[in-house]
Amino acid sequence: MIVVMAAHATEGQIKDVEQRILDWGYDVHPIYGAERTVIGAVGVPDADKGQYMEALESLEYVERVMAILRPYKFASRELHPEGTIINVKGVPIGGNQVILMAGPCTVETYEQTYESAVACKAAGANILRGGAYKPSTSPYSFQGLGLEGLKILRAIADELDMRVITEVMDTRMVETVCEYADILQIGTRNMQNYDLLREVGKCQTAVMVKRGMWAKIEEWLQAAEYVLLGGNPNVMLCERGIRTFETYTRNTLDLSAVPAAKELSHLPVIVDPSQGTGKRSLVQAMTKAAVAVGADGLLIEVHPHPEAALKDAAQQVTTTDFGRMVEELKPIALAVGRTI
Amino acid sequence: MIVVMAAHATEGQIKDVEQRILDWGYDVHPIYGAERTVIGAVGVPDADKGQYMEALESLEYVERVMAILRPYKFASRELHPEGTIINVKGVPIGGNQVILMAGPCTVETYEQTYESAVACKAAGANILRGGAYKPSTSPYSFQGLGLEGLKILRAIADELDMRVITEVMDTRMVETVCEYADILQIGTRNMQNYDLLREVGKCQTAVMVKRGMWAKIEEWLQAAEYVLLGGNPNVMLCERGIRTFETYTRNTLDLSAVPAAKELSHLPVIVDPSQGTGKRSLVQAMTKAAVAVGADGLLIEVHPHPEAALKDAAQQVTTTDFGRMVEELKPIALAVGRTI
Amino acid sequence: MIVVMAAHATEGQIKDVEQRILDWGYDVHPIYGAERTVIGAVGVPDADKGQYMEALESLEYVERVMAILRPYKFASRELHPEGTIINVKGVPIGGNQVILMAGPCTVETYEQTYESAVACKAAGANILRGGAYKPSTSPYSFQGLGLEGLKILRAIADELDMRVITEVMDTRMVETVCEYADILQIGTRNMQNYDLLREVGKCQTAVMVKRGMWAKIEEWLQAAEYVLLGGNPNVMLCERGIRTFETYTRNTLDLSAVPAAKELSHLPVIVDPSQGTGKRSLVQAMTKAAVAVGADGLLIEVHPHPEAALKDAAQQVTTTDFGRMVEELKPIALAVGRTI
Amino acid sequence: MIVVMAAHATEGQIKDVEQRILDWGYDVHPIYGAERTVIGAVGVPDADKGQYMEALESLEYVERVMAILRPYKFASRELHPEGTIINVKGVPIGGNQVILMAGPCTVETYEQTYESAVACKAAGANILRGGAYKPSTSPYSFQGLGLEGLKILRAIADELDMRVITEVMDTRMVETVCEYADILQIGTRNMQNYDLLREVGKCQTAVMVKRGMWAKIEEWLQAAEYVLLGGNPNVMLCERGIRTFETYTRNTLDLSAVPAAKELSHLPVIVDPSQGTGKRSLVQAMTKAAVAVGADGLLIEVHPHPEAALKDAAQQVTTTDFGRMVEELKPIALAVGRTI
């Protein structure tokens, strides 16, 4: 770390800071400039020395402390130059093929989910998505079918030879959801629910960490680090839009986060254009952009009859639209050297 | 709700929308303008008809759907014009007195907590704050003492006749934290952890819902609604800063959220200037502003030796500073007709 | 517009609002619900009745006023269903071909600009970009060569049969810049510099309005409306990134703004991935995404020797990179039915 | 500045960077850590060496470059420890007295302005505010009376012994506005209109630089630096709310920017709670908070009949409210050791 001393810092105060840094085990490299003294501290290998940085910043004779190393280790591409490929029961995520995860926003009935799944599978989706436990801003909205929804997903996926991705919201439900799902989704609202991250870190089921709508890319990678540190190496990321001042779209889908996350980390990156825009009319164009920018997979809400959906109707595409959309994605995938 | 039809909507499509609305039990009031047809729908009393709104928005011949009613009921001042006063074992929150909740960011040792608590109590704080379970962005940071921390807080608070506020992060820990704490804090990262909100809604211990750093005021009130709807009426709000583009401060403390929340809701509103600014040099000025703007209480991090703190050192004030700060708050409280 | 009366509004107050609306020339359509009275007002055709909306909102017995119509007219696709194609001396912008605008961030010397321009032209760029007047956050940074820079741009463009796009920052310079440039760029910082918008609205030179880094899509369209209303129909838009909390990238390039602007408006939309990301390593991926999402053109900073650039070195690609990048864009353009 | 080399940087690349830094006139202080080499560069005194930083960042073997010094000099408190007091024809801004700047949002007629001014003066305002040239998001909104408005302001201010503050939007109008106004307001939209900043830097009339709704505190100070560098020392700042995701308020008034700007800079800081909230019901509480937080003055929109205002009706307080509000501010000013 780099410690910038205050302009008014005395020689004694500079010595005090140097001593503290030495006591923590760092080597000290002071640079005495005309306007500021700057102290470089190196030699302590841990990914996060945030506590020391804050302690120094709390001194009134220290102006600022700046980190040098990235605050994560297992998620970093530096220690793991090759991109990770996660094998989800035979479906590779992070490889050359762009993976389609599709299905209804919410599992409402067996019939609605089945109708959606059949169409998604026919169009090329290998992974069935659907919410059994739903995070709803309003307590008066539909909260999902729960266990019943998990069973519907599993039964349909097994019949159609698909894998299941679904959200787990509560530490107490991790074990149950693991029984039915092949990928556990950590939703945007739970990206910093650390007990949940630790809990899914204890199992080996693949985990998709959605970016918090308030989260910087590095914080998102630190959330993934919680899971990896817990012992579960099967982690993928999902960009789903961040919160900005724009109101025309539901969120601002940050596609630059895909190449950014991929240069910082070896983990696969999925894109969710449905949540990201909240508008069916924009989903198709953003899906194309997601493939062009290098996404390893797409998470798309497909409902046979969107206008009858119990949740998020406005952002679900029809089964017919989905089929056509996938056809249009193929030449783009090809153009960036991938298949779909 | 108000449905704005698309410019190109046909007569048949307008009829279709009217029929759907009638089928849901609304009365229909169409307004045929020259450029748009607008359909008013009234008569369905639920706080949230979001599902119907989204279903209509998913139709390509509907341009927009706008809500009329606020999406919460129990949290609304409309149904509850008097401000709520919560009695925390004899300490009234929401009344004329501005309540001081103070103590270390994190419970590190009995001694550090005791030293802070004695000073806070002497300066006028009735409620002892301190983190036993800590949400940390980095998995490598100190995560708190856990149960041991709860016991330290309770023992010291009992000795000094204080109440305890501390964070609960996991549904599985609600029962345990209730045993030791008088107010359960829902942290900013968990504001939309709905299972946790439902769980604290089942007990009667007071709950402080911190605003999510990404949350609009109305979403914050909906989080409170989850707890109220669960059966726990003892809910207070806490403004602690939102995430913006500014980097000089850790968050942007939104003091306008205090009068805004108070005009929309009857719940008490606390302000946390420590988390809100992240900078000790700004805490004092923002604390004064919080009292002037009408906060019902303050949550302040006080550490006997901030530069030795294990977490968030940069934003903790010293015990000496805290005493002086409270003295300076008194005339401001008086100026707005309150005591401290 | 739709006026939502306060819950406590009396019959007399409702009548008062109705009378005001009638006096302004609207037809009045009240809807008396159980919890709120809502008044629909139609029949006043102007694009913006913001003044009336605000007057009503200032009444304490009015809760909210909601607009029905979009606040722009000439920029709207509603009145102009076909997309606009702007002919810039034979180069069509908004048609089937994706237009490349490329060149150095800043005109530093004739040689540097020439070297960049030759390479850009060879790679397929028809429009030469380069800053002669530079908006710099710091007064100590290079502010551009001014008139000398304009002359360099014009001379090189003429020699290579290219068109010139460059920024105009001051009303007093519009006439001069029109002499040398084929497209006037309104920079992000000046998107709401209304005198400047009015001034460029008086000429017929094409204008590119960059989105303010704080601007909602509808505000961006209103900025374009200023120019169109002034009498200049040759307006194109440029998405260049908005300001968010993310710090890894310089801005957050909002690619969903491209299809969004195109569904709301008939104006061509250009994308600037250089400013949008601020990082050379991300420019290439975002350029591909921009083509896939439907951009009508790209604005790319190309410097023969980025590390020697006087401004924004970090986001400029090399001439070699640019050539390769364009080759990789061609199959993507083809995949979305366009040429490049 | 501090240069963090990439993890993969070779010895030759490290030498290359060191040589470049030496060539620019810096002293070089390398620190060879196990995971990164960091190079400290000191000895070049200019406030902004941004160009060098960007040049280094553009090298693929450099990971990051971090500034040590603040990017402004004349605006910095470091070189000017005492707070600046600006004398506006006998009214001191930045001293012990909190200055009231009040009047209508927009000058509509002589009568409306006079009625507002008389009430403001009676309540204690020494400075009359009012827009003659109005920046309006919509080209269809009222754009102000222009020169006629300036004359009305001057005539009324002279009669009532007040000073005039009004906005100047265009470089061509600076001379004219200087004839009529005592303080030139640079509006939020023009905070980075550098030609305008340079132009007002050439005169000696006091200038109030409003914070851009997208601007970090340091960028705001750099805008002030443009004016100071131009030779005009009479610069004050004005916090007026930043743009965030919150939609209940028009902007988020960032009161922490007041103590932050005052610790970084010696310039007086004014607060505008009218624009900052956009809601009359919140103005009063935020005004109290602004005084408590340490504002040197307040800019408040006061209209005799807000509901008849031509612009921004929703945020203007009545003349009666204003008088009462000032009375309530007095004890708060006293509590923070000031007068009003």
Side-chain angles (χ1 to χ4, degrees):
Chain A
M1 64 186 168
I2 300 289
V3 183
V4 182
M5 298 298 297
H8 59 72
T10 64
E11 208 175 316
Q13 291 167 335
I14 293 168
K15 289 288 162 230
D16 171 63
V17 168
E18 292 179 357
Q19 192 55 53
R20 287 168 190 264
I21 293 172
L22 286 169
D23 291 349
W24 290 326
Y26 288 92
D27 290 335
V28 167
H29 298 265
I31 303 171
Y32 304 102
E35 302 188 47
R36 289 286 189 292
T37 293
V38 171
I39 303 170
V42 297
V44 175
D46 286 2
D48 188 341
K49 286 297 170 196
Q51 165 188 334
Y52 298 150
M53 291 177 60
E54 294 223 24
L56 293 174
E57 282 205 323
S58 78
L59 298 167
E60 60 158 353
Y61 41 92
V62 168
E63 186 175 298
R64 254 176 316 157
V65 185
M66 301 182 284
I68 296 175
L69 299 179
R70 303 284 176 198
Y72 42 81
K73 192 163 56 179
F74 294 109
S76 170
R77 190 176 280 273
E78 210 163 299
L79 295 184
H80 195 308
E82 294 300 306
T84 282
I85 299 178
I86 302 172
N87 184 326
V88 181
K89 287 192 195 157
V91 176
I93 298 178
N96 192 61
Q97 192 188 350
V98 179
I99 300 300
L100 298 173
M101 305 177 177
C105 172
T106 305
V107 177
E108 299 165 13
T109 64
Y110 182 91
E111 291 69 27
Q112 159 256 11
T113 305
Y114 189 81
E115 194 177 345
S116 171
V118 166
C120 292
K121 174 75 184 181
N126 285 325
I127 299 183
L128 176 62
R129 59 147 294 153
Y133 301 93
K134 293 300 301 177
S136 293
T137 305
S138 165
Y140 300 100
S141 291
F142 181 54
Q143 313 274 319
L145 292 180
L147 183 58
E148 179 59 24
L150 291 178
K151 289 178 178 172
I152 291 174
L153 283 169
R154 188 71 267 165
I156 293 173
D158 284 347
E159 183 181 333
L160 301 175
D161 187 27
M162 297 179 82
R163 311 297 165 267
V164 168
I165 180 170
T166 197
E167 179 160 352
V168 58
M169 291 168 60
D170 187 353
T171 49
R172 296 172 300 189
M173 296 308 295
V174 170
E175 203 176 312
T176 303
V177 179
C178 278
E179 276 175 48
Y180 295 93
D182 303 304
I183 308 175
L184 305 174
Q185 175 179 308
I186 301 296
T188 181
R189 295 167 173 85
N190 278 319
M191 194 204 84
Q192 292 184 326
N193 180 339
Y194 299 117
D195 286 293
L196 185 59
L197 295 173
R198 275 188 281 257
E199 203 66 29
V200 300
K202 289 179 195 160
C203 54
Q204 293 295 305
T205 307
V207 174
M208 185 177 80
V209 180
K210 286 192 142 185
R211 184 177 179 189
M213 61 188 106
W214 66 89
K216 299 184 190 193
I217 292 167
E218 297 227 322
E219 293 166 338
W220 186 26
L221 294 176
Q222 285 174 295
E225 185 86 356
Y226 263 95
V227 184
L228 294 165
L229 190 62
N232 187 340
N234 303 309
V235 179
M236 63 195 87
L237 303 165
C238 178
E239 161 63 32
R240 49 76 68 201
I242 56 173
R243 183 155 268 194
T244 69
F245 57 79
E246 180 58 64
T247 51
Y248 187 75
T249 47
R250 183 165 168 171
N251 293 284
T252 297
L253 190 66
D254 177 12
L255 287 184
S256 68
V258 178
K262 289 181 91 70
E263 73 185 20
L264 292 170
S265 174
H266 56 91
L267 302 174
V269 185
I270 311 300
V271 170
D272 177 348
S274 305
Q275 289 288 336
T277 63
K279 271 196 154 63
R280 200 159 56 189
S281 64
L282 304 179
V283 169
Q284 187 159 358
M286 292 306 279
T287 302
K288 291 178 183 173
V291 172
V293 91
D296 294 307
L298 300 166
L299 190 69
I300 297 179
E301 300 181 6
V302 179
H303 196 287
H305 314 288
E307 78 285 0
L310 294 182
K311 261 195 85 63
D312 289 346
Q315 70 203 27
Q316 303 195 51
V317 299
T318 63
T319 46
T320 320
D321 288 342
F322 181 67
R324 199 173 46 225
M325 187 190 298
V326 174
E327 285 312 304
E328 294 182 9
L329 292 176
K330 286 179 181 172
I332 298 178
L334 206 65
V336 295
R338 302 181 82 159
T339 59
I340 207 160
Chain B
M1 62 185 169
I2 300 288
V3 183
V4 183
M5 299 298 298
H8 59 72
T10 64
E11 208 175 314
Q13 291 167 335
I14 293 169
K15 287 294 163 225
D16 170 64
V17 168
E18 291 179 359
Q19 191 57 50
R20 286 167 190 264
I21 294 173
L22 286 169
D23 291 349
W24 290 326
Y26 287 93
D27 290 337
V28 168
H29 298 264
I31 303 171
Y32 305 102
E35 302 189 48
R36 288 285 189 294
T37 293
V38 170
I39 302 171
V42 297
V44 175
D46 287 2
D48 186 342
K49 286 295 171 198
Q51 165 188 336
Y52 297 151
M53 290 177 61
E54 293 222 26
L56 293 174
E57 282 203 324
S58 77
L59 298 167
E60 59 159 350
Y61 40 92
V62 167
E63 185 175 301
R64 255 176 317 157
V65 185
M66 301 181 284
I68 298 174
L69 299 178
R70 302 284 178 201
Y72 42 81
K73 192 163 58 180
F74 294 109
S76 169
R77 190 175 278 276
E78 211 164 298
L79 295 184
H80 194 307
E82 294 300 306
T84 281
I85 299 178
I86 301 172
N87 184 324
V88 179
K89 289 195 192 155
V91 176
I93 297 179
N96 191 62
Q97 194 187 349
V98 179
I99 299 300
L100 297 173
M101 305 176 177
C105 172
T106 305
V107 177
E108 299 164 14
T109 63
Y110 181 91
E111 291 66 28
Q112 157 254 15
T113 308
Y114 188 80
E115 193 177 345
S116 171
V118 166
C120 292
K121 175 76 183 181
N126 285 324
I127 299 182
L128 177 62
R129 61 146 294 153
Y133 301 93
K134 293 299 301 177
S136 292
T137 305
S138 166
Y140 300 100
S141 291
F142 182 52
Q143 312 276 320
L145 292 180
L147 183 59
E148 180 59 24
L150 292 179
K151 288 179 178 170
I152 291 173
L153 283 170
R154 186 73 267 165
I156 293 173
D158 284 347
E159 183 180 334
L160 300 175
D161 187 25
M162 296 178 85
R163 310 297 165 265
V164 168
I165 180 170
T166 197
E167 179 159 352
V168 60
M169 290 168 61
D170 186 354
T171 49
R172 296 171 300 188
M173 296 307 296
V174 170
E175 204 176 313
T176 302
V177 179
C178 278
E179 275 176 47
Y180 294 93
D182 304 304
I183 308 176
L184 305 174
Q185 176 179 308
I186 301 294
T188 181
R189 295 169 173 83
N190 279 318
M191 194 203 84
Q192 292 186 325
N193 180 340
Y194 299 117
D195 286 292
L196 185 59
L197 295 173
R198 274 189 282 258
E199 202 67 28
V200 301
K202 289 181 194 159
C203 56
Q204 294 295 305
T205 307
V207 174
M208 185 176 80
V209 179
K210 285 193 145 186
R211 184 178 180 189
M213 61 188 105
W214 67 88
K216 298 184 190 194
I217 292 168
E218 296 226 324
E219 292 167 337
W220 186 27
L221 295 176
Q222 284 175 296
E225 185 86 357
Y226 263 95
V227 185
L228 295 165
L229 190 62
N232 187 341
N234 302 310
V235 179
M236 65 194 85
L237 303 165
C238 178
E239 162 62 30
R240 50 77 68 202
I242 56 174
R243 182 155 269 194
T244 69
F245 57 80
E246 180 58 64
T247 52
Y248 188 75
T249 47
R250 181 165 168 169
N251 292 284
T252 297
L253 190 66
D254 177 12
L255 287 183
S256 68
V258 178
K262 290 182 90 70
E263 73 185 18
L264 292 171
S265 175
H266 56 91
L267 301 175
V269 185
I270 312 300
V271 169
D272 177 348
S274 306
Q275 289 287 337
T277 62
K279 270 197 151 65
R280 199 159 59 189
S281 64
L282 304 179
V283 169
Q284 186 159 359
M286 292 306 280
T287 303
K288 291 178 182 173
V291 172
V293 91
D296 295 307
L298 299 165
L299 190 70
I300 297 179
E301 299 181 7
V302 179
H303 196 288
H305 314 288
E307 79 285 2
L310 295 183
K311 260 192 86 62
D312 290 346
Q315 69 202 26
Q316 301 196 53
V317 300
T318 64
T319 47
T320 320
D321 287 342
F322 181 66
R324 197 172 50 226
M325 188 191 300
V326 175
E327 285 314 302
E328 292 181 12
L329 292 176
K330 285 179 181 172
I332 298 177
L334 206 65
V336 295
R338 302 181 81 159
T339 60
I340 206 159
Chain C
M1 63 185 167
I2 301 289
V3 183
V4 182
M5 300 296 300
H8 59 71
T10 64
E11 208 176 314
Q13 291 167 335
I14 293 168
K15 288 288 163 228
D16 171 63
V17 167
E18 292 180 358
Q19 192 56 52
R20 288 168 189 262
I21 293 172
L22 286 169
D23 292 349
W24 290 326
Y26 287 92
D27 290 336
V28 167
H29 298 265
I31 302 171
Y32 304 103
E35 302 188 45
R36 288 286 189 292
T37 292
V38 170
I39 302 171
V42 297
V44 175
D46 286 2
D48 188 341
K49 286 296 171 195
Q51 165 187 336
Y52 297 151
M53 289 176 61
E54 294 223 26
L56 293 174
E57 281 204 325
S58 78
L59 298 168
E60 60 158 353
Y61 40 92
V62 167
E63 185 174 299
R64 255 177 315 157
V65 186
M66 300 181 284
I68 296 174
L69 299 179
R70 303 283 176 200
Y72 41 81
K73 193 162 57 180
F74 295 109
S76 170
R77 190 176 279 274
E78 211 164 298
L79 295 184
H80 194 309
E82 294 301 306
T84 282
I85 299 178
I86 301 173
N87 183 326
V88 179
K89 289 196 192 153
V91 176
I93 298 178
N96 192 61
Q97 194 189 347
V98 180
I99 299 300
L100 297 174
M101 307 177 176
C105 173
T106 306
V107 178
E108 299 165 13
T109 64
Y110 181 89
E111 290 67 27
Q112 158 255 13
T113 307
Y114 189 80
E115 193 176 347
S116 171
V118 166
C120 291
K121 175 75 183 181
N126 286 324
I127 300 182
L128 177 62
R129 59 147 295 152
Y133 301 93
K134 293 300 301 177
S136 292
T137 305
S138 165
Y140 300 100
S141 291
F142 181 52
Q143 313 275 319
L145 293 179
L147 183 59
E148 180 58 22
L150 292 180
K151 289 178 178 170
I152 291 173
L153 283 170
R154 187 73 266 164
I156 293 173
D158 284 348
E159 182 179 336
L160 301 175
D161 186 25
M162 296 178 83
R163 312 294 166 268
V164 168
I165 180 169
T166 197
E167 180 160 352
V168 58
M169 290 168 60
D170 186 352
T171 50
R172 296 171 302 189
M173 296 309 295
V174 171
E175 204 177 312
T176 302
V177 179
C178 278
E179 277 175 48
Y180 295 92
D182 304 304
I183 308 176
L184 305 174
Q185 176 179 309
I186 302 294
T188 181
R189 296 169 173 84
N190 279 318
M191 194 204 82
Q192 292 186 325
N193 179 340
Y194 299 117
D195 285 293
L196 185 59
L197 295 174
R198 275 189 282 258
E199 202 67 28
V200 301
K202 289 180 193 159
C203 55
Q204 293 296 305
T205 306
V207 174
M208 185 177 79
V209 180
K210 284 193 144 185
R211 184 177 179 189
M213 62 189 104
W214 66 89
K216 298 184 190 193
I217 292 167
E218 297 227 323
E219 293 166 339
W220 185 27
L221 294 176
Q222 284 175 295
E225 185 86 357
Y226 263 95
V227 184
L228 294 165
L229 190 62
N232 187 341
N234 303 310
V235 179
M236 64 195 87
L237 302 165
C238 179
E239 162 62 31
R240 49 77 67 204
I242 56 174
R243 182 155 269 196
T244 69
F245 57 79
E246 180 58 63
T247 51
Y248 187 75
T249 47
R250 183 165 168 171
N251 292 284
T252 298
L253 189 66
D254 177 11
L255 286 183
S256 68
V258 178
K262 291 183 90 69
E263 73 184 20
L264 293 171
S265 174
H266 55 92
L267 301 174
V269 185
I270 311 301
V271 169
D272 177 347
S274 305
Q275 289 287 337
T277 62
K279 270 196 154 64
R280 200 159 55 188
S281 64
L282 304 179
V283 170
Q284 186 159 359
M286 291 307 279
T287 303
K288 291 178 184 175
V291 172
V293 91
D296 295 306
L298 299 165
L299 190 69
I300 297 179
E301 300 181 6
V302 179
H303 196 288
H305 314 289
E307 79 285 2
L310 295 183
K311 260 192 86 61
D312 289 347
Q315 70 202 26
Q316 302 195 51
V317 299
T318 63
T319 47
T320 319
D321 287 342
F322 182 66
R324 198 173 47 226
M325 188 190 300
V326 175
E327 284 314 302
E328 294 181 10
L329 293 176
K330 286 179 182 173
I332 298 178
L334 205 65
V336 295
R338 303 180 80 157
T339 61
I340 206 158
Chain D
M1 63 185 168
I2 300 290
V3 183
V4 182
M5 299 298 297
H8 58 72
T10 63
E11 209 175 315
Q13 292 167 334
I14 293 168
K15 288 290 163 229
D16 171 61
V17 168
E18 291 179 359
Q19 192 56 53
R20 288 167 189 264
I21 293 172
L22 286 168
D23 291 349
W24 291 325
Y26 288 93
D27 290 336
V28 167
H29 298 265
I31 303 170
Y32 305 104
E35 302 189 45
R36 289 284 189 293
T37 293
V38 170
I39 303 170
V42 297
V44 175
D46 286 3
D48 187 340
K49 286 296 170 198
Q51 166 188 335
Y52 297 150
M53 292 176 61
E54 293 222 26
L56 293 174
E57 282 204 324
S58 79
L59 298 168
E60 59 158 353
Y61 40 91
V62 167
E63 185 174 301
R64 256 177 314 157
V65 185
M66 301 181 284
I68 296 173
L69 300 179
R70 302 284 177 199
Y72 41 80
K73 191 163 58 179
F74 294 110
S76 170
R77 189 176 280 275
E78 211 164 296
L79 295 184
H80 195 308
E82 294 301 307
T84 282
I85 299 178
I86 302 173
N87 184 326
V88 180
K89 290 195 193 154
V91 176
I93 297 179
N96 192 60
Q97 194 188 349
V98 180
I99 300 300
L100 298 173
M101 307 178 176
C105 171
T106 306
V107 178
E108 299 165 13
T109 64
Y110 181 92
E111 291 69 28
Q112 160 255 13
T113 307
Y114 188 81
E115 193 176 344
S116 171
V118 166
C120 292
K121 174 77 183 181
N126 285 325
I127 299 183
L128 177 62
R129 59 146 293 153
Y133 301 92
K134 293 300 300 177
S136 292
T137 305
S138 167
Y140 301 100
S141 291
F142 181 53
Q143 312 275 322
L145 292 179
L147 183 59
E148 180 60 22
L150 291 179
K151 289 179 178 170
I152 291 174
L153 282 170
R154 186 73 267 164
I156 293 174
D158 284 347
E159 182 180 334
L160 301 175
D161 186 25
M162 296 177 85
R163 311 296 165 268
V164 167
I165 180 170
T166 197
E167 179 161 350
V168 57
M169 289 167 60
D170 187 354
T171 49
R172 297 171 301 189
M173 296 307 297
V174 171
E175 203 178 313
T176 303
V177 178
C178 278
E179 276 175 48
Y180 294 93
D182 304 304
I183 309 175
L184 305 174
Q185 176 179 308
I186 301 295
T188 182
R189 293 168 175 86
N190 280 318
M191 194 204 84
Q192 292 186 326
N193 179 339
Y194 299 117
D195 286 292
L196 185 59
L197 294 173
R198 276 189 281 257
E199 201 67 29
V200 302
K202 290 181 193 158
C203 56
Q204 294 295 305
T205 307
V207 174
M208 184 176 81
V209 180
K210 284 192 144 185
R211 184 178 180 189
M213 62 188 104
W214 66 89
K216 298 185 190 194
I217 292 167
E218 297 227 323
E219 293 167 339
W220 186 27
L221 294 176
Q222 284 174 295
E225 185 86 356
Y226 263 94
V227 184
L228 294 164
L229 189 62
N232 186 340
N234 303 309
V235 179
M236 64 195 87
L237 302 165
C238 178
E239 161 62 32
R240 51 75 70 201
I242 56 173
R243 182 154 271 194
T244 69
F245 57 80
E246 180 59 63
T247 52
Y248 188 75
T249 47
R250 183 166 168 168
N251 293 284
T252 296
L253 190 67
D254 176 12
L255 287 183
S256 67
V258 178
K262 291 182 90 70
E263 72 184 21
L264 292 172
S265 174
H266 56 91
L267 302 175
V269 185
I270 312 300
V271 170
D272 177 348
S274 305
Q275 289 288 338
T277 63
K279 269 198 154 61
R280 198 158 60 189
S281 64
L282 304 179
V283 170
Q284 186 158 1
M286 291 306 279
T287 303
K288 291 178 183 174
V291 172
V293 92
D296 295 306
L298 299 165
L299 189 70
I300 296 178
E301 300 181 8
V302 179
H303 196 289
H305 314 289
E307 79 284 2
L310 295 183
K311 262 194 83 64
D312 289 345
Q315 70 202 26
Q316 302 195 52
V317 299
T318 64
T319 47
T320 319
D321 287 343
F322 182 67
R324 197 173 48 225
M325 188 191 300
V326 175
E327 284 314 303
E328 294 181 11
L329 293 176
K330 287 179 181 171
I332 298 177
L334 206 64
V336 294
R338 302 181 81 158
T339 60
I340 207 159

